Amino acid sequence: MIEKGAVLGWYFMYMPIGRDPDFEIMLTPEQRKYMWQRTTKIRNEKPIVIADFWNDGPITDGCLAGGRRYVHITADCHVEPCAFVHFRRPEDSIREKSLLKVLKESELFNAMRARQDPAYESNPMRPCWIVDRPWALREVVREVSADASEAGSAHLMDEKIANELDRRAKAWEPVANEIWESIQRYNRKYDRIAEIAQGNIQNLDDIKEDLL
Ligand code: SF4
């Protein structure tokens, strides 16, 4: 692809929304971990910009949805949290008010943004309301009485599907924690090296744990 002139690549993974979602083709934790490793390797070795819509949470500081960094505007002018999260409050429409007003006043977006606080969302490798924290999505949908805007999202609230999503999200959690710890270790090490280079650290014994 690079030889043919590609300069940008974007990884997406299957999301269990839409008509007849098939859980069997969702990524396993091992496959998602491999995707993260592969993206990191390509970034280190190839002249191409690569984005990974789910595993780049550490770069974007977690989920972007709910107006934190972006929204999804449907063909009928409703504003929804994300291109994959098809829930809405009926008054969140740019036919009724400005986009800025929707962003400020939406009960749904405000409930989501309150839960995007780092204290709540402590691991940015688990950013997603659908696949990583489906219980949190159900909680806000119930809290603000949001409507599903298409049948393929309404099922996210069904008990059987909710249980399956929760089970898969819980399986990803320890793997995501391990990756996030390794990223934090890496960042600490390079922060310390920068401090040494700037002459801000005199005694290497004080930071040897961070350099291991
Ligand atoms: S809800 Fe999921 S798919 Fe949507 S922006 Fe957040 S992480 Fe991405």
Side-chain angles (χ1 to χ4, degrees), residues 15 53-54 62-66 70 81-85 112 116 126-132:
M15 294 291 273
F53 207 78
W54 283 269
C63 172
L64 309 177
Y70 101 116
C82 158
F84 298 95
V85 179
M112 291 177 80
Q116 284 165 326
R126 299 172 50 228
C128 185
W129 292 85
I130 295 178
V131 295
D132 297 328

Side-chain angles (χ1 to χ4, degrees), residues 25-42:
I25 58 173
M26 285 178 71
L27 292 188
T28 63
E30 294 71 30
Q31 288 167 334
R32 186 163 165 187
K33 179 178 177 182
Y34 176 72
M35 194 164 118
W36 173 75
Q37 288 170 326
R38 179 81 188 138
T39 313
T40 307
K41 186 172 164 58
I42 292 172

Side-chain angles (χ1 to χ4, degrees), residues 151-200:
S153 288
H155 70 239
L156 295 177
M157 305 298 285
D158 292 348
E159 192 181 340
K160 198 167 154 218
I161 290 185
N163 288 343
E164 180 61 20
L165 282 173
D166 289 359
R167 187 185 71 73
R168 287 172 181 267
K170 288 283 173 202
W172 170 241
E173 184 175 349
V175 183
N177 288 346
E178 184 196 307
I179 295 173
W180 179 226
E181 275 165 29
S182 76
I183 293 171
Q184 288 177 300
R185 264 200 311 277
Y186 178 93
N187 288 345
R188 267 198 305 274
K189 186 187 281 188
Y190 283 89
D191 283 351
R192 291 309 202 185
I193 289 172
E195 287 178 67
I196 294 167
Q198 288 159 8
N200 295 338

